[in-house]
Amino acid sequence: MPDSIITHSPLPGLYIVATPIGNLGDITARAAATLAAADVIAAEDTRVTAKLLSHLGLRIPMTPYHDHSDERTRGALVARMADEVVVLVSDAGTPLISDPGYKLVRDARSAGRHVTTLPGPCAAIAAITLSGLPSDRFLFAGFLPSKAKARADTIAEFAALRATLVFYESGPRLAAALGALAEGLGNRDAAVAREISKLYEQCVTGTLTELAAHYADAPPKGEIVIIVGPPGEEVPEEADDASIDAALRMAMADHTVAQAAKAVAKRYGLDRHAIYARALSLKDAG
Ligand code: SAM
């Protein structure tokens, strides 16, 4: 038997409230009621949350909250939770998911406060549902580092995982991220989900290299989630000499010859020793 939509006036404590990721109609009835009952809303950006409150016809005191907020700010919020309703929201989606909040939850718990969550929109989950990629096992990896070496190292950590991978990304960095994913993971099936729940929602599917080529000259606008299918079903790319050499040169800029050869051989489904020899001759030729 489902609990009634809005039960009773909330107990004092911390309420983690998910908010829409684009379409304001996605606010849940319980989230709206809890925001209305809040004594204070701890918000990532109070100007962003003010728009949501105005849409709901609410005027509730707000205070800025980030994980780099000092301990005094956090301590003051935790103290208020003893006899007030403190609501935590981020700019969009589920707080704590690539957003501030975990330190506040940690401290609220260690102080013995009532902590509860109001589930709702989350771009990662919404993108998985759109992608048509296996959804039984996934790893949410947040944002990749922007520097090439750190990005490649991070991707390498995920390469052996038998799971769908989920990344948050921005338009200007999308093509480079897709190329680096192809390099580090092989040419897996993937999807780019954009502007979910908004007017121009789109989900483009293809292999990583197809998607990298698709977005190379036209960085898309808006908010983006990349979904990459699990290993084992890579589609080897058509291997012509020029693209193998270009891939090797790019990989050798950040990696040893052996690492670059291994990644490129995997990407194109070629013999690692032959590619290593080719990489050495490219390096010798300067
Ligand atoms: N906490 C949020 C959540 O639950 O999804 C995510 C916050 S994170 C700072 C913001 C990133 O989420 C964006 O850069 C984008 O990668 C992704 N995102 C947020 N809204 C989105 C949307 N409507 N469509 C696609 N991706 C979105």
Side-chain angles (χ1 to χ4, degrees), residues 166-188:
V166 185
F167 301 93
Y168 284 162
E169 198 42 275
S170 70
R173 301 187 340 176
L174 178 62
L178 290 165
L181 286 164
E183 200 76 58
L185 303 176
N187 194 22
R188 299 188 194 176

Side-chain angles (χ1 to χ4, degrees), residues 15-19 88-90 92-101 117-118 121:
Y15 290 73
I16 303 150
V17 172
T19 58
L88 172 70
V89 295
S90 57
T94 301
L96 283 83
I97 306 302
S98 286
D99 267 339
T117 191
L118 280 74

Side-chain angles (χ1 to χ4, degrees), residues 18-23 44 90-100 120-127 140 143 167-170 193-198 201 222-226:
T19 58
I21 56 169
N23 189 323
E44 184 184 5
S90 57
D91 288 354
T94 301
L96 283 83
I97 306 302
S98 286
D99 267 339
C122 174
I125 300 298
F140 172 63
F143 289 94
F167 301 93
Y168 284 162
E169 198 42 275
S170 70
R194 209 167 63 79
E195 297 286 89
I196 299 167
S197 79
K198 303 184 196 176
E201 175 179 298
E223 304 202 88
I224 290 159
V225 184
I226 302 174

